[in-house]
Amino acid sequence: MKIVIAPDSYKGSMSASAAAGAIEAGIKRAFPEAETVKLPMADGGEGTVETVFGILGGKMVTVPVVDPLGYRVEAKYCITNDGIAFVEMAQASGLTLVPENERDVMCSSSYGTGQLIKDALDKGCKKIYVGIGGSATNDGGTGMAQALGACFIGDKWRLLSGSGENLGKIRRIDSSHMDERIKETEFVVLCDVDNPLCGPDGASYVYGPQKGADAEQVKTLDEGMANYAEALLRDLKADVAGIPGAGAAGGMGAALMAFCGAKLVSGADALMELYDFDSKIKDVDLVITGEGKTDASSLSGKAPQKVVARAKKLGVRTALISGIIESSGCDMMSLGVSAAASVVSGDVTAEMSMSRAVVYTADTAEKLVKALF
């Protein structure tokens, strides 16, 4: 029996690597003779750098940057042995960096992500992957662009800082002072959503509330995004607002395309290519994937959906183990998942599963594989 274990991180409780280890422990308790292969996944959000480093090696770089509210924080990115940088927005501008009671999406800035990119340029990287999941910002990536030399000008030629509340105040964008090395560098954005920049399916309406925005702020942010989109088109000749993924990470997708000429790709697909995923799951008996919470958003390009799709194409059956599986997430079954199990079930509460995630995930995996084999 051979089982491939390919979960994403379980946000707030386990990295993808830890989750894979927990699932493996449960499998081994049920079937000690089983052969297991761990392929931790990521889709551009939290844990992407760690996962890439585990696949490709290289070196980890630690940089002092500012977090979404301007406080100093140590952020990491990796440079492969080939000189390719992998930057993770969540490290510098992530939602987990800001306590829930301090979240202020109007003032938060992606400036720290720009600092990470600048450091990679300083170290001579000519290709930079930027994972943009898990952000705390809705500033259209203006903070990031500002860190790289862009100027946002408001009324009476006043310079504006990169933030959500300033999007609607932009009257002109001056990119003439952007870091010249950007033109010589290939940027690839690892993205797990396909939202446009503005409108009911855009960055502000879909993701603003989870970052602390109330209904009035969401409306203000979306109107600001529309103004920002007009400025990008007028001043940079960048017609990016409607491109799928432009609204990812509070508009960071749009900014990286407009200011850095980046191309957007599926984060999960990119990592699977690095793994040579198809060759590793061919002829196995089962592929197990999972995440912290499986819900409706899981069907929009998240890592578990991508894993299931790849396995189905090769005729390999799959199972899902997630911390929580909401009813809307049961649609994963329609994609071809053979079995699904939630760690939070029966006597196991969400609080219990978060505090002892490894233990309860291993127990869930043990029960699931016993039921399947």
Side-chain angles (χ1 to χ4, degrees):
M1 180 192 303
K2 185 174 182 179
I3 300 175
V4 166
I5 308 164
D8 198 351
S9 64
Y10 289 39
K11 286 184 181 178
S13 58
M14 290 187 295
S15 66
S17 296
I23 293 169
E24 180 183 51
I27 294 169
K28 291 293 188 179
R29 288 207 303 254
F31 300 102
E33 75 287 354
E35 179 183 354
T36 55
V37 178
K38 292 179 289 185
L39 302 177
M41 291 299 301
D43 50 25
E46 264 185 285
T48 297
V49 164
E50 177 190 342
T51 301
V52 169
F53 183 68
I55 301 169
L56 300 179
K59 65 179 179 180
M60 294 291 286
V61 180
T62 302
V63 186
V65 301
V66 295
D67 74 4
L69 297 181
Y71 298 107
R72 187 180 186 276
V73 66
E74 299 285 325
K76 295 180 179 180
Y77 71 98
C78 75
I79 301 177
T80 70
N81 293 323
D82 295 329
I84 299 171
F86 282 82
V87 171
E88 180 183 308
M89 189 179 178
Q91 282 278 331
S93 311
L95 194 62
T96 57
L97 298 175
V98 186
E100 192 167 347
N101 63 341
E102 294 181 24
R103 289 174 187 170
D104 187 344
V105 73
M106 302 300 289
C107 295
S108 61
S109 172
S110 59
Y111 193 93
T113 299
Q115 290 176 298
L116 285 179
I117 293 171
K118 185 177 185 303
D119 193 81
L121 293 171
D122 289 344
K123 289 182 169 55
C125 297
K126 297 297 184 183
K127 185 171 186 177
I128 301 176
Y129 285 83
V130 186
I132 61 173
S135 73
T137 56
N138 201 94
D139 67 346
T142 54
M144 177 278 301
Q146 184 183 18
L148 295 175
C151 294
F152 299 92
I153 302 166
D155 292 331
K156 299 181 180 179
W157 295 91
R158 183 169 67 91
L159 284 176
L160 303 170
S161 61
S163 68
E165 66 182 357
N166 282 338
L167 290 172
K169 302 174 185 177
I170 296 171
R171 301 294 173 259
R172 180 169 174 250
I173 301 174
D174 181 359
S175 62
S176 63
H177 302 291
M178 292 286 291
D179 195 312
E180 287 292 327
R181 296 169 297 182
I182 291 172
K183 298 174 183 176
E184 304 164 0
T185 306
E186 180 183 356
F187 286 85
V188 182
V189 180
L190 305 177
C191 180
D192 64 356
V193 300
D194 56 7
N195 304 82
L197 188 61
C198 315
D201 296 322
S204 304
Y205 275 100
V206 176
Y207 302 108
Q210 72 188 41
K211 300 175 184 181
D214 60 29
E216 187 60 33
Q217 289 173 326
V218 165
K219 183 175 182 293
T220 299
L221 287 167
D222 188 62
E223 290 172 351
M225 282 291 189
N227 176 66
Y228 173 52
E230 290 178 7
L232 288 174
L233 180 58
R234 181 187 64 244
D235 299 332
L236 273 66
K237 304 298 185 287
D239 188 6
V240 297
I243 296 176
M252 180 63 84
L256 285 165
M257 286 188 287
F259 291 98
C260 301
K263 68 175 181 179
L264 272 61
V265 301
S266 159
D269 282 338
L271 256 71
M272 285 193 278
E273 293 303 318
L274 293 176
Y275 271 133
D276 192 13
F277 192 81
D278 290 1
S279 70
K280 287 184 170 61
I281 68 170
K282 186 173 58 177
D283 301 326
V284 304
D285 297 291
L286 180 68
V287 174
I288 297 178
T289 188
E291 59 190 330
K293 180 191 285 187
T294 296
D295 56 20
S297 69
S298 300
L299 303 174
S300 301
K302 296 292 181 72
Q305 181 200 21
K306 295 288 187 177
V307 169
V308 171
R310 289 287 188 103
K312 183 178 180 180
K313 186 177 179 181
L314 294 173
V316 179
R317 68 174 176 162
T318 55
L320 177 75
I321 298 175
S322 293
I324 296 173
I325 301 177
E326 292 189 349
S327 57
S328 57
C330 292
D331 288 339
M332 287 288 284
M333 303 297 289
S334 67
L335 301 179
V337 175
S338 298
S342 174
V343 177
V344 177
S345 63
D347 295 331
V348 180
T349 65
E351 292 73 19
M352 291 166 64
S353 71
M354 291 286 283
S355 63
R356 301 184 68 197
V358 170
V359 172
Y360 289 117
T361 301
D363 291 346
T364 304
E366 180 182 7
K367 294 174 185 175
L368 182 138
V369 294
K370 280 181 176 178
L372 285 174
F373 293 101

